[in-house]
Amino acid sequence: RKEVEQDPGPFNVPEGATVAFNCTYSNSASQSFFWYRQDCRKEPKLLMSVYSSGNEDGRFTAQLNRASQYISLLIRDSKLSDSATYLCVSYTGNQFYFGTGTSLTVIP
Amino acid sequence: DVKVTQSSRYLVKRTGEKVFLECVQDMDHENMFWYRQDPGLGLRLIYFSYDVKMKEKGDIPEGYSVSREKKERFSLILESASTNQTSMYLCASSRAGVGSPLHFGNGTRLTVT
């Protein structure tokens, strides 16, 4: 079983829509979680860390549910520039574990 | 801002060549990593290092070696390049400790012909 699993999508949403991605992790000992954004043929870039109490950064909200072992990313008021692949990452015992990514396309 | 610099953006090498990929970070991070990324397979860890002269195998170390002689520099070596090593190679660094995220270089797209 993979450490981190994500729905690959693709998610195609209209501009202005709200979209949510979930990601499950298998190791209950996972210590930290992150969301990265990756544009086509570019490197992943940190979007936000995920804190136990949930956290928000502008239009982006991240949540962690330790009981059910999943994290989520909510994007409100989607922009064309949000089109990218979103990677879920967990950190366990000095190792980072990546999901394969969820593809988002925001349509005008 | 953290800067992780990879020496080449694109490389084309022939089968059997020895290939060096260089990575330098400027934030005094303890940890450095090499990944490869292939369509449908996501990021896979090749090697990582927690300190100078220290290295640990990742999930797919076969055909690769690494060197970390200085804290800021982590090199990936393909001993004898093969076509199945054609990939995007990503270097990353992080501070030691829980909660510190990875910072990636802009990648090297290697083609082995």
Side-chain angles (χ1 to χ4, degrees), chain A residues 19-21 35 47-50 53-64 71-76:
Chain A
V19 61
F21 308 135
W35 282 102
L47 181 64
M48 56 199 304
S49 301
V50 185
S53 54
N55 48 302
E56 192 172 300
D57 182 1
R59 297 182 294 108
F60 299 86
T61 300
Q63 299 262 337
L64 166 62
I71 69 171
S72 64
L73 177 68
L74 183 78
I75 306 175
R76 288 181 300 279

Side-chain angles (χ1 to χ4, degrees), chain A residues 2 31-32 34 36 38 40-46 49 51 87 89 91 93-100, chain B residues 9-10 33 35 37 40-43 45 48 50 88 90 94 97-106 109:
Chain A
K2 289 184 180 178
Q31 297 159 295
S32 308
F34 310 92
Y36 281 74
Q38 186 172 24
C40 188
R41 301 179 77 82
K42 296 281 184 73
E43 76 278 17
K45 293 187 178 177
L46 179 67
S49 301
Y51 302 123
L87 300 169
V89 182
Y91 175 85
N94 290 327
Q95 293 262 11
F96 291 88
Y97 297 93
F98 289 81
T100 51
Chain B
R9 192 81 175 94
Y10 298 95
F33 305 79
Y35 294 89
Q37 186 174 31
L41 297 176
L43 279 104
L45 180 64
F48 58 99
Y50 295 138
M88 167 74 111
L90 290 158
S94 74
V98 174
S100 297
L102 278 173
H103 298 269
F104 285 90
N106 58 5
R109 192 164 291 278

Side-chain angles (χ1 to χ4, degrees), chain B residues 32-67:
Chain B
M32 296 189 76
F33 305 79
W34 275 105
Y35 294 89
R36 63 178 282 178
Q37 186 174 31
D38 301 287
L41 297 176
L43 279 104
R44 293 181 291 167
L45 180 64
I46 305 171
Y47 268 97
F48 58 99
S49 170
Y50 295 138
D51 203 351
V52 176
K53 296 192 187 294
M54 178 271 181
K55 59 187 178 185
E56 294 283 345
K57 292 180 180 179
D59 300 318
I60 51 163
E62 296 78 18
Y64 303 94
S65 62
V66 290
S67 172

